[in-house]
Amino acid sequence: MSCSDPPLFNRRLGHALLLLLAFSFWQGAQAQGVVLVSARTGGIAELDRETAAQLYLGRRTSLPDGRGARLLDLPAGPERDLFYQRLTGKNPSQIRAYWSRMVFTGRAHPPHEVNDQEDALRRVLADPSTLAYLPAASVTDQPLHVLMRLE
Amino acid sequence: MSLPTPLRHAISLLAGIAALSAGFAPAAASELQVSGFATLGAAYTRSDELEFARVGIDAPGGNRVDTGPDSVLGVQLGWQSAYGSSAVLQVVTRETQRGDYTPRPALAFLSHAISPALTVRAGRLRSPFFMLSDTADINYSQPWVRPPVEVYGLNPFTDMDGVDLLYRSHLGGSFIELHPYFGTSRIPVIGGGRAHLRQLRGLTATLERDELSFSASHAEAELSVIRTSQSYQDLVESLQLPPALQARLSGKGARASFSSLGMQWDDGRWRVIAELARMRADAFVNSATGAYIAIGRRFGALTPYVGLARQRQDQPIADPTLADSPESATTLAAFNRSRNQAQRSITVGTRWDLTPHAAIKAEFSHIDTERGAHGTFIARGDPFAPGLDDRDIHLLSVSVDVVF
């Protein structure tokens, strides 16, 4: 192969650009972070980090005021990994092992996994006791409480 | 009219779920979740006389490549109301002590959160005698193919019917769980018969702080082991054992206790798991102590690990010097050998996380059974034949674990 072979060169360049683009999106998720949110109307107005971590580790199911909280998980991906890493200090493989122990010993029910970010947003707005995490950039114009920012 | 107990439990639980679901009706307020786990495993021992078995859990293989010890399938239905009540039904199928694959509810309970810190559960529960007892089938959550048999072979009672409490609390950045339980447990005995734990009561305490967690556990129960196998009947008849000695081998009303101390370290890169456990009984089974340490290191999707383990016998089932003839003493010593799992082992292996829901594992163990012990091996032929103890045995195991 040589550099004078334009199609191959272009394809390689294309792959490199695609990779770069994917990487910058991933970087975007990392740089902007994710936010834990609830509905602004009637939703959970504040939540400390320790309680949020306990909820997402299945170690409690209710808020300090006694109200039950419903938790949502995004599908597997960089936002989910970032959220758990920053909130609980556990990496994806630790979290999967942890939750498989919690579920199959009958200790806790895992957060409900939504189809996508729109689904999460729709569910949060529909139910004031629901918590979800979303990319920070995606919630700017929504009627949500931002409970914490994890970057 | 006389349905098997597990089936009756399953039916009553399903009826309970149906009744509760109907009561709380709105779909938004309650949720049904289906999940499961599975392992397809194969273990290979190169021995013409002995075959590997997880004593008290599965049946001896019969083939040199045995899929019985590790293969397992579990399906779980979880239902949760918005009012702190939930129900879980987990049905597990794996090779049983009888060599079949009859499904068994491993979990079938109703639970209620009395307060944010305190949950009460009633029904079929996993017995939490040792640190990892209640996740012994969930191989996906661990680095190895199977929990170290030197410790987990001390406890063949994997579940119990009863009541437990989960008290969870936070103290200065540490998470504490206190887990008292009360119930009964019943399992079949290899070859024939059954073993019972009655008036089982125990407490497990767990403390987790950042990367580190500790667990301490103690349980006591009344043990009965009724042996009906042909080899046992032949033994008793041929020896004409005095009644006092017979009563040491099979019967009711022995006191048994299970204790363990364990620790785990997991910083996302290194994983260390270590435990010391002891099982004591007045009669019917031997008393023994087991310990292990396993260290794994994550390199991306690969987690190679190495483990050291040992089990030592503290007290044989019956003292052969109580026999009234040299022949009886010899046979009794052979019976003790076949029920003594004392051994030491070194295991090296690796886990490969293939996808977020599947892992492949392969491990090699060098096992050194002690003098006077068959270790975790069952004789292919006459279980009381001499010379089956004090062996060096290699065991190769591979498995695929999935969760869904």
Side-chain angles (χ1 to χ4, degrees):
Chain A
M1 85 185 91
S2 74
C3 288
S4 62
D5 186 349
L8 180 63
F9 176 76
N10 282 345
R11 201 157 66 228
R12 285 189 153 191
L13 190 67
H15 284 173
L17 279 174
L18 264 178
L19 263 177
L20 197 69
L21 205 63
F23 184 69
S24 62
F25 272 122
W26 180 74
Q27 283 286 62
Q30 296 279 79
Q32 298 216 343
V34 291
V35 287
L36 185 64
V37 297
S38 69
R40 194 180 290 162
T41 315
I44 296 148
E46 55 183 31
L47 187 66
D48 66 280
R49 202 178 164 120
E50 187 59 37
T51 305
Q54 289 165 21
L55 285 166
Y56 269 95
L57 288 173
R59 289 171 176 172
R60 63 184 300 159
T61 54
S62 60
L63 300 164
D65 66 8
R67 259 200 302 173
R70 295 167 62 74
L71 310 179
L72 303 182
D73 248 344
L74 290 179
E79 291 87 8
R80 179 159 158 175
D81 293 349
L82 178 69
F83 174 74
Y84 279 101
Q85 183 76 60
R86 293 294 183 270
L87 184 66
T88 69
K90 292 184 195 293
N91 68 32
S93 76
Q94 285 176 297
I95 277 291
R96 289 194 298 269
Y98 175 87
W99 265 106
S100 68
R101 291 195 298 271
M102 294 300 280
V103 169
F104 296 122
T105 57
R107 274 183 170 68
H109 298 265
H112 177 80
E113 187 178 302
V114 296
N115 299 325
D116 50 32
Q117 292 174 17
E118 288 73 42
D119 188 17
L121 188 60
R122 197 173 48 78
R123 285 167 184 270
V124 168
L125 294 175
D127 175 10
S129 68
T130 296
L131 291 171
Y133 52 89
L134 289 163
S138 73
V139 303
T140 42
D141 300 326
Q142 303 293 340
L144 297 168
H145 283 301
V146 172
L147 300 167
M148 70 192 63
R149 191 173 291 272
L150 298 155
E151 292 172 341
Chain B
M1 212 53 240
S2 60
L3 284 170
T5 313
L7 198 59
R8 271 189 280 128
H9 280 283
I11 289 168
S12 61
L13 186 88
L14 283 173
I17 292 176
L20 285 167
S21 304
F24 291 133
S30 67
E31 204 168 282
L32 191 65
Q33 288 171 326
V34 183
S35 48
F37 56 89
T39 294
L40 180 62
Y44 170 73
T45 319
R46 221 179 98 191
S47 168
D48 292 331
E49 295 156 310
L50 294 165
E51 50 200 351
F52 176 73
R54 288 167 73 173
V55 176
I57 305 283
D58 73 314
N63 301 311
R64 285 198 183 170
V65 174
D66 187 5
T67 54
D70 304 309
S71 299
V72 58
L73 169 68
V75 176
Q76 180 167 316
L77 281 178
W79 172 85
Q80 197 176 17
S81 85
Y83 310 101
S85 293
S86 69
V88 172
L89 174 65
Q90 181 187 100
V91 178
V92 170
T93 175
R94 65 174 309 145
E95 189 181 81
T96 69
Q97 303 87 337
R98 296 191 177 103
D100 57 24
Y101 283 83
T102 311
R104 178 179 174 99
L107 290 176
F109 66 80
L110 293 168
S111 99
H112 183 72
I114 297 168
S115 76
L118 187 64
T119 300
V120 58
R121 309 190 295 177
R124 169 71 56 85
L125 301 157
R126 292 211 174 236
S127 62
F129 294 150
F130 304 143
M131 180 167 64
L132 306 174
S133 292
D134 58 0
T135 53
D137 286 332
I138 324 300
N139 296 313
Y140 175 84
S141 70
Q142 302 298 345
W144 45 51
V145 172
R146 74 185 70 84
V149 289
E150 287 82 355
V151 162
Y152 290 89
L154 294 170
N155 167 32
F157 294 93
T158 54
D159 52 45
M160 56 170 253
D161 296 323
V163 183
D164 73 1
L165 291 174
L166 290 171
Y167 173 76
R168 290 175 276 203
S169 169
H170 297 266
L171 200 73
S174 299
F175 171 75
I176 295 164
E177 184 188 87
L178 296 178
H179 182 190
Y181 51 94
F182 183 83
T184 64
S185 185
R186 187 171 68 164
I187 55 168
V189 171
I190 290 184
R194 69 180 28 151
H196 248 113
L197 289 179
R198 293 188 178 85
Q199 292 177 37
L200 166 64
R201 62 268 181 208
L203 175 67
T204 299
T206 308
L207 187 145
E208 288 178 42
R209 191 186 174 91
D210 302 326
E211 296 89 356
L212 198 58
S213 79
F214 289 103
S215 99
S217 156
H218 183 74
E220 296 191 356
E222 187 191 302
L223 171 72
S224 70
V225 179
I226 308 298
R227 299 182 193 276
T228 58
S229 75
Q230 198 54 49
S231 65
Y232 176 75
Q233 302 291 353
D234 294 347
L235 175 87
V236 171
E237 278 167 32
S238 69
L239 293 180
Q240 297 181 334
L241 289 176
L245 207 46
Q246 266 192 49
R248 301 273 312 161
L249 306 184
S250 177
K252 295 181 174 179
R255 279 182 308 158
S257 70
F258 303 83
S259 317
S260 86
L261 278 176
M263 69 78 70
Q264 298 187 70
W265 165 272
D266 188 347
D267 64 4
R269 191 170 288 179
W270 288 95
R271 183 147 185 215
V272 182
I273 311 173
E275 188 172 12
L276 173 68
R278 169 171 287 185
M279 194 271 176
R280 283 170 176 278
D282 283 351
F284 318 139
V285 294
N286 66 344
S287 296
T289 303
Y292 65 86
I293 180 166
I295 300 171
R297 163 77 157 84
R298 292 187 183 90
F299 297 94
L302 279 181
T303 310
Y305 55 90
V306 57
L308 291 171
R310 182 170 186 191
Q311 187 186 124
R312 198 187 64 197
Q313 177 171 263
D314 299 320
Q315 181 84 47
I317 299 182
D319 182 356
T321 61
L322 296 178
D324 46 13
S325 74
E327 293 76 26
S328 296
T330 305
T331 313
L332 206 51
F335 180 79
N336 283 339
R337 282 201 301 276
S338 71
R339 265 72 181 171
N340 180 356
Q341 296 182 55
Q343 64 181 32
R344 51 181 98 189
S345 69
I346 177 164
T347 298
V348 291
T350 191
R351 171 190 173 118
W352 177 29
D353 281 279
L354 196 61
T355 75
H357 302 285
I360 293 180
K361 298 162 182 173
E363 68 180 33
F364 173 81
S365 298
H366 175 92
I367 300 169
D368 199 353
T369 63
E370 295 206 351
R371 189 179 296 275
H374 290 184
T376 54
F377 296 89
I378 308 275
R380 290 180 188 275
D382 176 11
F384 305 137
L388 295 174
D389 59 337
D390 199 9
R391 295 288 185 102
D392 279 349
I393 304 174
H394 294 158
L395 178 69
L396 185 64
S397 312
V398 292
S399 69
V400 181
D401 304 318
V402 296
V403 289
F404 52 94

